[in-house]
Amino acid sequence: MAYFIQQLINGLTLGAIYGLIAIGYTMVYGIIGMINFAHGEIYMIGAFLAIISYLVFGDMGIVSIPILLMGMLVISMIFTAAYGWTVERLAYRPLRGSFRLAPLISAIGMSIALQNYVQISQGARVKPIQPVVQGGFELFTQGGFAVQITYLQIVIWVLTTVLMVGFTYLITQTSLGRQQRACEQDRKMASLIGVNVDKTISLTFVLGAVLAAVAGLITTLYYGVIDFYVGFLAGMKAFTAAVLGGIGSLPGAMLGGLLIGLIEAFWSAYFTIEYKDVATFGILVLVLIFKPTGFLGKPEVEKV
């Protein structure tokens, strides 16, 4: 039981990270109906920016943990927001009126370009970082096995919950959210009633990139090491989470992320760790066979 609870804690932490990345996927899909396959690389860039800003603050002599974390977060968010805006301008906006496959190919090309850009600029070696947030609680001990929860895991859970509630409020209660929902339903009609469609879509990409920056920061702090390839696999799993929960649904994206995190944690604990990705994508296939729209997704109705 103690081992099970420990894996549950680890799985929820990993799932929260996947959920943050998945929300960026589902927000973009909800408006333009396309998957931003460069989103994983935005997350990877956010992780690299966290390490770079950590080193810069260290050279400046800043050792206060709250100031250090806040500075790393702000810098990662600002720069990844700029990357997200650039991806939309270069890879999506010029092809918005083209056939549906063109933006998809462009996004995959942008993903490869960003991945190689980081490899060239930062090198192919893994980048370590010293532990910043340390310590935690020991919940209980059973049979010599101690169940622990770290302060960083608590921060990840709280931060994920706050962002999830905040973005749900943004989509459902604010003017920008109403404009996003209008663009989702009919972009041409939304433009006729005064919605700036280009600005709304760009802001959606920026918001998704900000979430990816937060995920990149907490991943760097949690694992303590990254490389230029982490965005591809994490992006694929976050996309899987968005599909599993129901593409286009913010709660569904978070639910899918938590499910995938739990699947990976328990499979790695009780079965062969090399096949955890096989298990994840296998369960996705089974879910889509019996529920093609995902757990919280809604079937699309074609207008004729």
Side-chain angles (χ1 to χ4, degrees):
M1 179 58 70
Y3 188 63
F4 176 87
I5 293 176
Q6 185 65 67
Q7 295 308 316
L8 178 63
I9 293 172
N10 296 338
L12 290 174
T13 305
L14 180 60
I17 297 173
Y18 286 150
L20 285 178
I21 309 173
I23 291 176
Y25 274 109
T26 203
M27 286 178 64
V28 171
Y29 182 87
I31 287 189
I32 64 176
M34 295 291 177
I35 300 298
N36 178 18
F37 279 110
H39 191 65
E41 274 56 50
I42 299 295
Y43 150 82
M44 177 265 294
I45 289 173
F48 270 91
L49 287 168
I51 286 185
I52 293 171
S53 57
Y54 171 81
L55 295 175
V56 171
F57 287 137
D59 291 339
M60 294 171 60
I62 298 176
V63 295
S64 173
I65 299 300
I67 296 176
L68 188 62
L69 292 177
M70 185 59 64
M72 293 167 66
L73 180 61
V74 170
I75 290 176
S76 296
M77 290 170 63
I78 291 174
F79 281 93
T80 51
Y83 277 102
W85 180 84
T86 303
V87 167
E88 193 276 331
R89 287 285 294 170
L90 296 180
Y92 277 96
R93 188 177 297 186
L95 301 173
R96 199 177 297 163
S98 181
F99 62 99
R100 291 178 62 88
L101 197 58
L104 177 64
I105 297 172
S106 178
I108 294 174
M110 183 63 72
S111 171
I112 296 172
L114 288 174
Q115 190 178 119
N116 285 273
Y117 155 69
V118 173
Q119 181 184 9
I120 293 172
S121 61
Q122 300 298 322
R125 294 182 179 179
V126 296
K127 306 296 182 184
I129 184 174
Q130 295 295 324
V132 178
V133 181
Q134 303 183 55
F137 299 102
E138 183 177 309
L139 300 182
F140 64 93
T141 303
Q142 185 181 60
F145 184 87
V147 178
Q148 298 178 333
I149 178 171
T150 65
Y151 293 133
L152 182 58
Q153 287 175 323
I154 296 174
V155 169
I156 291 173
W157 293 351
V158 172
L159 186 60
T160 301
T161 302
V162 170
L163 288 173
M164 181 66 203
V165 172
F167 272 78
T168 301
Y169 177 83
L170 174 72
I171 298 298
T172 58
Q173 302 295 329
T174 66
S175 174
L176 175 60
R178 288 189 292 271
Q179 293 176 46
Q180 288 176 318
R181 284 181 280 128
C183 292
E184 176 185 358
Q185 294 178 4
D186 192 327
R187 291 201 298 271
K188 183 175 292 186
M189 183 58 68
S191 65
L192 291 175
I193 62 174
V195 175
N196 189 331
V197 174
D198 289 339
K199 180 181 178 181
T200 302
I201 293 176
S202 293
L203 283 175
T204 303
F205 272 82
V206 167
L207 292 174
V210 166
L211 284 175
V214 177
L217 171 63
I218 61 180
T219 299
T220 304
L221 296 175
Y222 190 62
Y223 290 106
V225 62
I226 59 168
D227 59 43
F228 74 97
Y229 199 66
V230 296
F232 175 76
L233 191 57
M236 289 300 297
K237 290 181 179 178
F239 170 61
T240 303
V243 175
L244 190 63
I247 192 75
S249 168
L250 264 65
M254 185 56 66
L255 174 63
L258 293 175
L259 288 174
I260 288 181
L262 290 172
I263 291 169
E264 286 195 9
F266 284 116
W267 188 277
S268 300
Y270 294 104
F271 302 99
T272 307
I273 191 172
E274 288 81 4
Y275 291 97
K276 62 183 178 67
D277 295 336
V278 176
T280 299
F281 294 114
I283 291 174
L284 172 67
V285 171
L286 291 176
V287 170
L288 293 182
I289 289 174
F290 297 102
K291 193 171 177 57
T293 58
F295 288 112
L296 300 182
K298 297 179 181 179
E300 293 186 3
V301 179
E302 290 288 340
K303 298 179 181 180
V304 296

